[in-house]
C-alpha cells in the first residue's frame, strides 16, 4: 500500500498518510463502511443521489462536532436527491449516541473503524494514529 510522509503534520510533527493521493476529476474510489445499525454501505447504496462526503476523525472532538452540526443544519434545505455522509473512525454505536445527543438527523454517519477502507482508498488514513 502506498504511504506518503511529510504531506501533512499533526501537532507540528509530520505524519504518514496511507493510500494514494486523490486528484480533482478522478472517479471516487470504492469503499465499504458501516452504518449505525452495523450494515455495510458503499457508494452504490447512494446511486442516483448527489453525495456530499464530510470526513472527520471523531465526532467527539470540537471541530468535528461543529462541522457535522453545520452540515446537518445546511442539509435541511437540500432536496431529496442529495445525501450528506459523515465518515469517521468512531464505532457505529458511538455515532448513533452522538447523533441522538446532538439532534443530528439530516446527516448519515458512517463508520470506517472496521477496516479503514475509506481512509485507505482516499489516502486519508493517518498511520500513526489510525485516524
Amino acid at each position: 500500500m502506498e504511504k506518503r510522509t511529510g504531506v501533512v503534520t499533526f501537532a507540528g510533527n509530520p505524519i504518514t498518510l496511507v493510500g494514494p493521493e486523490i486528484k480533482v476529476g478522478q472517479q471516487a474510489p470504492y469503499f465499504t463502511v458501516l452504518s449505525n445499525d452495523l450494515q455495510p454501505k458503499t457508494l452504490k447504496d447512494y446511486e442516483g443521489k448527489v453525495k456530499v462526503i464530510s470526513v472527520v476523525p471523531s465526532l467527539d472532538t470540537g471541530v468535528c462536532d461543529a462541522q457535522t452540526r453545520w452540515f446537518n443544519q445546511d442539509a435541511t434545505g437540500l432536496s431529496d436527491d442529495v445525501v450528506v455522509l459523515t465518515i469517521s473512525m468512531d464505532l457505529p454505536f458511538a455515532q448513533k449516541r452522538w447523533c441522538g445527543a446532538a439532534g443530528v438527523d439530516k446527516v448519515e454517519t458512517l463508520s470506517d473503524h472496521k477496516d479503514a477502507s475509506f481512509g485507505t482508498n482516499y489516502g486519508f488514513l493517518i498511520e500513526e494514529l489510525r485516524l
Side-chain angles (χ1 to χ4, degrees):
M1 179 57 59
E2 181 180 346
K3 295 183 181 183
R4 297 172 291 128
T5 303
V7 178
V8 295
T9 61
F10 180 81
N13 299 310
I15 56 172
T16 306
L17 296 178
V18 178
E21 179 182 359
I22 303 301
K23 307 275 192 224
V24 173
Q26 180 179 340
Q27 184 172 355
Y30 177 85
F31 62 87
T32 301
V33 290
L34 294 177
S35 66
N36 290 173
D37 61 356
L38 302 176
Q39 296 304 305
K41 293 285 191 168
T42 70
L43 283 175
K44 283 198 172 272
D45 291 304
Y46 306 97
E47 203 163 41
K49 296 206 177 248
V50 174
K51 294 161 276 301
V52 176
I53 301 176
S54 170
V55 182
V56 299
S58 175
L59 294 167
D60 282 322
T61 64
V63 172
C64 301
D65 176 292
Q67 177 176 315
T68 306
R69 288 175 191 262
W70 181 87
F71 272 110
N72 188 69
Q73 182 179 353
D74 204 48
T76 61
L78 300 176
S79 67
D80 289 342
D81 65 335
V82 178
V83 62
V84 179
L85 308 173
T86 292
I87 301 175
S88 79
M89 290 297 273
D90 296 306
L91 292 171
F93 313 108
Q95 290 178 333
K96 185 174 183 177
R97 176 201 47 78
W98 182 89
C99 286
V104 169
D105 59 355
K106 302 295 184 207
V107 168
E108 185 172 344
T109 55
L110 299 166
S111 175
D112 198 29
H113 180 75
K114 184 176 179 184
D115 62 10
S117 169
F118 180 86
T120 301
N121 292 345
Y122 281 71
F124 292 155
L125 183 66
I126 300 171
E127 183 176 59
E128 294 83 356
L129 304 172
R130 198 176 184 277
L131 289 174

